[in-house]
Amino acid sequence: MRDAFHDDLDSISSMLVEMSSRVGRAMGLATTALLEANLQLAEQVISEDSLIDALQHDLDAKALSLLARQQPVAGDLRTIVTSLRMSADIERMGDLAHHIAKVARMRYPSTAVPAELTLTVQEMGNVAQAIIAKVITVIKTRDIAAALQVDKDDDEMDKLHRKLFTTLLEDSWPHGIETAIDMTLIGRYYERCADHAVSVARRVYFMVTGEFAPAKD
Amino acid sequence: MRDAFHDDLDSISSMLVEMSSRVGRAMGLATTALLEANLQLAEQVISEDSLIDALQHDLDAKALSLLARQQPVAGDLRTIVTSLRMSADIERMGDLAHHIAKVARMRYPSTAVPAELTLTVQEMGNVAQAIIAKVITVIKTRDIAAALQVDKDDDEMDKLHRKLFTTLLEDSWPHGIETAIDMTLIGRYYERCADHAVSVARRVYFMVTGEFAPAKD
C-alpha cells in the first residue's frame, strides 16, 4: 500500500516536471513569436496553454484524491500540499507565456518589439527558459542548494527589466506610447514568470526541509 | 472532537475574512495615497502588507495542522485545501495594493496620476474595494449565486482598464513615457486584484458544491 502511495507521489512530481517543460517550451516559442512576428507560433502558444491548464487540473485532482484516500502526515502531507501550490505557480507561468504570445498576435504583421529592445527581450526570454530549466532540475533532484540558486537568475531578470525601462525612458525613445505600453507589459510578464519560478524552487526547499527558504540577500 | 474541528474550520474562515478586510482597506488607502500623493498613507500600506502576509502564514499553518491531525475527507478536506488557495489569492491582492502604494511613494511629492486619469483610477479603486467587500460576504455566507455575481464587477474593472488605455493612447496624451509606464502598471495592478477576487469567489463555489464554477459568459 505504501509503495503504491509513493508511486502516486512520484507521478505528481512527474506531472510538475511535465507542466514545467511545457511552460519552458511555451516561453521559448512566445519569445520567438514576439521577436519575429511569427503568427503561427503565437497561435500555437495560445492554443497549447489549455494543455498546461489540463495538466494542472489532473495534478490537483490526483493530489486531492491522495489526501482523501491516504490521509498522509508529516513529510508526505507537506509534499502533496506543496505540489498543489507549485502547480498553481507553474500554471500561472504558462498564462504569462500566453500573454506574451497574445501581444505578438495583436501586433502581427508588425513586430511588437522595436529594434532597440530586441536584444533585451531576447535575453529576458533566455533567462526565463534557463530559470525554468533549473526549476525542473530542482523538482527532479530536490536539491535545496540548487533551489536557492534560482534567486540568482531572478536577479538577472530584474537587471534586464530595469534595462528595458531605461531604454523606454531615454529622451530619444522614438516609438510612442503604444509601444511603450506593450513593452511595459511584456517586461512585467517575463519578470513575473521569473518570480513564480523562484517561488516554485523555494517551495521545493520547504517540501524537503519543512522550513521556509531563508530570505533573499 | 468533531466540534473542536468545526471551530477550527470556522476560525480559518474568519482569518480569510480578516485578511480580505485588511486587503480592502489597503486598496482604499493605496488609491488615496496615489491620487493625493499622500506619502504617509503610502508608507502605511507598504508597512502593513507584512501583517497580511503574517495572517496568511498563520492561516496556512493552521490549515496544514488540521490536515495532519484530523485527516478530514470529502467536504471538510475540500474546505481546507480550498482555503489554502484562497489565502494565496488574498495575499497576492495585498501585494498589489502594496505595489500601488510604492508607485505613490516613488512619485511623491508629485502625484503619479495625471488629471485626465484621476477619475478612472478612483473608479478602479472603488471597484476593487467593492469587489473585495462582496468577496468577504461570499466567504461569510457561502452564497454560490453571489459568488458568480463577482464576475460582473470584474467586467466593470475590465471596462475601466480599457478606458485607461484609450486615454493613454489619445494623440493628445501630453505626459510622456514615464507617466504612461506608471499608469500601465497601475492599471494592471487593479485589474489583477479584481481577477484574484473573482478567483476567491469561484473557489467558494467549488468549496460549497465540489464542482468548478461554470465558465464566464
Side-chain angles (χ1 to χ4, degrees):
Chain A
M1 199 58 188
R2 292 297 288 171
D3 279 356
F5 175 66
H6 283 97
D7 285 349
D8 282 332
L9 285 188
D10 286 348
S11 87
I12 286 179
S13 176
S14 301
M15 289 164 94
L16 289 169
V17 168
E18 166 77 9
M19 280 182 79
S20 305
S21 303
R22 283 186 178 274
V23 169
R25 186 157 167 267
M27 266 294 165
L29 295 178
T31 304
T32 303
L34 188 69
L35 292 172
E36 298 179 3
N38 185 325
L39 183 62
Q40 195 186 334
L41 285 186
E43 294 285 9
Q44 185 183 340
V45 173
I46 291 164
S47 73
E48 288 183 358
D49 188 42
S50 61
L51 301 176
I52 296 167
D53 296 347
L55 270 168
Q56 185 200 14
H57 190 273
D58 292 351
L59 188 157
D60 290 3
K62 182 157 205 136
L64 274 174
S65 151
L66 267 184
L67 284 175
R69 286 186 293 112
Q70 301 281 352
Q71 314 217 320
V73 293
D76 291 336
L77 172 61
R78 196 166 65 230
T79 296
I80 297 173
V81 171
T82 306
S83 297
L84 284 168
R85 293 182 152 159
M86 290 161 72
S87 83
D89 276 311
I90 299 165
E91 187 274 332
R92 183 71 199 147
M93 292 160 75
D95 287 346
L96 293 162
H98 174 257
H99 289 354
I100 291 169
K102 278 176 95 172
V103 176
R105 183 172 72 179
M106 184 167 58
R107 297 303 169 214
Y108 177 85
S110 300
T111 167
V113 182
E116 294 90 331
L117 283 170
T118 300
L119 194 61
T120 305
V121 170
Q122 181 64 64
E123 284 177 357
M124 291 182 101
N126 293 348
V127 172
Q129 284 189 272
I131 204 169
I132 293 166
K134 285 195 192 164
V135 160
I136 291 171
T137 303
V138 168
I139 295 170
K140 282 182 180 166
T141 61
R142 299 166 63 102
D143 177 338
I144 59 171
L148 298 178
Q149 288 295 314
V150 171
D151 281 352
K152 295 236 167 82
D153 294 82
D154 186 40
D155 292 341
E156 188 59 32
M157 185 67 93
D158 289 342
K159 246 184 248 169
L160 290 166
H161 197 204
R162 284 193 295 274
K163 190 171 160 192
L164 182 145
F165 283 129
T166 304
T167 305
L168 291 180
L169 291 171
E170 276 166 7
D171 287 337
S172 56
W173 175 256
H175 300 289
I177 300 290
E178 184 170 87
T179 303
I181 292 173
D182 280 354
M183 298 316 304
T184 300
L185 291 173
I186 287 286
R188 176 104 188 129
Y189 300 148
Y190 283 112
E191 188 241 337
R192 287 296 300 153
C193 176
D195 288 345
H196 282 286
V198 168
S199 168
V200 172
R202 296 174 79 86
R203 292 189 199 285
V204 172
Y205 185 100
F206 175 75
M207 186 188 264
V208 172
T209 65
E211 307 281 334
F212 291 107
K216 222 175 139 173
D217 298 335
Chain B
M1 201 56 189
R2 291 295 291 171
D3 278 356
F5 174 64
H6 284 97
D7 285 348
D8 282 333
L9 285 189
D10 286 347
S11 87
I12 286 179
S13 176
S14 300
M15 291 164 94
L16 289 170
V17 168
E18 166 77 10
M19 281 182 78
S20 304
S21 302
R22 284 188 179 273
V23 169
R25 187 157 166 268
M27 265 293 163
L29 294 177
T31 303
T32 304
L34 188 68
L35 292 172
E36 299 179 1
N38 185 323
L39 183 62
Q40 195 185 335
L41 286 186
E43 294 285 11
Q44 184 183 338
V45 173
I46 291 164
S47 72
E48 288 183 358
D49 187 44
S50 61
L51 301 177
I52 296 167
D53 296 347
L55 270 168
Q56 186 201 13
H57 189 274
D58 292 350
L59 188 158
D60 290 2
K62 180 154 208 140
L64 274 174
S65 151
L66 267 186
L67 284 176
R69 286 185 293 111
Q70 301 281 354
Q71 315 215 319
V73 293
D76 291 336
L77 172 61
R78 196 167 65 231
T79 296
I80 297 174
V81 171
T82 307
S83 297
L84 283 168
R85 292 180 154 161
M86 290 160 71
S87 82
D89 276 311
I90 300 165
E91 187 274 332
R92 183 70 199 148
M93 290 159 74
D95 286 347
L96 293 162
H98 173 257
H99 288 353
I100 292 169
K102 280 177 93 172
V103 177
R105 182 171 74 179
M106 184 168 59
R107 297 302 170 214
Y108 177 85
S110 301
T111 167
V113 182
E116 293 90 330
L117 283 170
T118 300
L119 193 61
T120 306
V121 170
Q122 181 64 64
E123 285 177 355
M124 291 181 101
N126 293 348
V127 172
Q129 283 188 273
I131 204 168
I132 293 166
K134 285 194 190 165
V135 159
I136 290 171
T137 303
V138 168
I139 296 171
K140 281 182 180 166
T141 61
R142 299 166 65 101
D143 177 338
I144 58 170
L148 298 180
Q149 288 295 315
V150 171
D151 281 353
K152 296 236 169 82
D153 295 84
D154 186 39
D155 292 342
E156 188 58 34
M157 186 67 95
D158 288 343
K159 248 184 250 171
L160 290 165
H161 197 205
R162 282 193 297 273
K163 189 171 161 191
L164 182 146
F165 282 130
T166 304
T167 306
L168 290 180
L169 291 171
E170 276 166 8
D171 286 340
S172 55
W173 175 257
H175 301 289
I177 300 290
E178 184 171 86
T179 303
I181 293 173
D182 280 353
M183 297 317 303
T184 300
L185 291 174
I186 288 287
R188 176 112 187 122
Y189 300 149
Y190 283 111
E191 188 243 338
R192 288 296 300 153
C193 176
D195 287 346
H196 283 287
V198 167
S199 168
V200 172
R202 295 174 79 86
R203 292 188 198 286
V204 173
Y205 186 101
F206 175 74
M207 186 188 264
V208 172
T209 66
E211 307 281 334
F212 291 107
K216 221 174 140 173
D217 299 335

